[in-house]
Amino acid sequence: MGAVHSFCEGASMASMAADPTAPTPKRTSPPPEFEQLNREARFVLNPDLFDGFRLEVSKSLSPKFFATHSLWLGSQVLPGGSQYTFGTQLVNDPTVMVGRLDTSKRLDARLHHKLGEVEFKVNANLGTEPHSSHYMVDAVTSGRDYTGGLKIGTGGLVGFAYLQHITPRLAVGFDGIYMGKNKMSGTSFGVRYSNGEHVCTAQWAQLGQASMSYFRKLNERVSLATEFVYGMQTAESLASFGAEFTLRTCQVKLLLMSNGRIASHLTEQILPGVALILNAEADQPKYDYKFGFGLQIQG
């Protein structure tokens, strides 16, 4: 954990030495939620991969109400190989409501509402099969230098999280969870260093997993990220490296993992309101290869 802080702080201290008049960095916003400790790196390392063909059509029915149709065909991961999803979204500040219903008769509903300094999040996933429905309720609050939250969910789940700035760039925190149905509990601790261009995180979980991540924004068009995960109980590790390139009309994401998995994702704006999506994924050790293409149309 100290090595992560020293590595990033070294680059920052070098720039400050070159300019002794550089002002002391000011904290401009609270830290993210604990579960989003390494959100910048995860965004680069988790491209939206799919196989087969996917068509998404979204329409603004009013300034506050939107409807979406999604058709997914020829997939190896879907039961029956295809799925249609209808979605709606209502945005009426400070409330956001989202609903999605697919052909497997599963309903995904989300509600976000901010009441004073507390943001409430309600997520529900409802199915027709026994014990296939789940819900989660989060309450998150943040101040000048902290973010904390509580959550309850299906199966007697109760959780809490807290992340605190101890310097303008360094934040430390923890979270805990208790599953009443299974009588299981767990905690994790994390540290995050961020100066805008560099974001370093380290996290340790009681269940036996340690991870470190590093994100670097080279410029407005190029971002890099890497992550290392080690399972202390299994002595297995996984390293990932990703890159994101944002050009004038397209965005490209590349992913390389130490287990032999590689992936790429391209989103190209071919017309106003129309985007072409191409992605490919290869798992070399398993000889598993997938390719997907799609269209996004906004009206």
Side-chain angles (χ1 to χ4, degrees), residues 6 9 22 43 59 62 98 123 150 202 211 255 276 281 298:
S6 298
E9 191 71 62
F43 180 77
K59 176 68 175 179
S62 75
V98 179
N123 296 331
L150 297 172
S211 64
L255 176 66
L276 172 68
E281 182 180 3
Q298 298 181 352

Side-chain angles (χ1 to χ4, degrees), residues 195-258:
N195 68 354
E197 295 181 353
H198 306 264
V199 180
C200 307
T201 68
Q203 191 170 354
W204 174 83
Q206 181 186 3
L207 299 179
Q209 180 172 288
S211 64
M212 300 176 65
S213 72
Y214 174 65
F215 168 84
R216 172 69 191 276
K217 189 176 183 65
L218 296 180
N219 52 52
E220 292 300 320
R221 295 187 175 185
V222 182
S223 298
L224 305 176
T226 185
E227 182 181 51
F228 177 77
V229 180
Y230 178 72
M232 291 176 283
Q233 296 180 349
T234 62
E236 295 181 350
S237 61
L238 179 66
S240 306
F241 172 79
E244 179 188 55
F245 305 91
T246 303
L247 307 178
R248 187 172 61 87
T249 61
C250 73
Q251 182 186 73
V252 180
K253 288 187 178 182
L254 304 175
L255 176 66
L256 174 63
M257 305 179 71
S258 61

Side-chain angles (χ1 to χ4, degrees), residues 163-181:
L163 193 62
Q164 171 78 51
H165 271 302
I166 58 175
T167 75
R169 295 177 175 176
L170 184 65
V172 297
F174 60 91
D175 75 346
I177 190 171
Y178 175 74
M179 292 291 297
K181 183 178 180 179

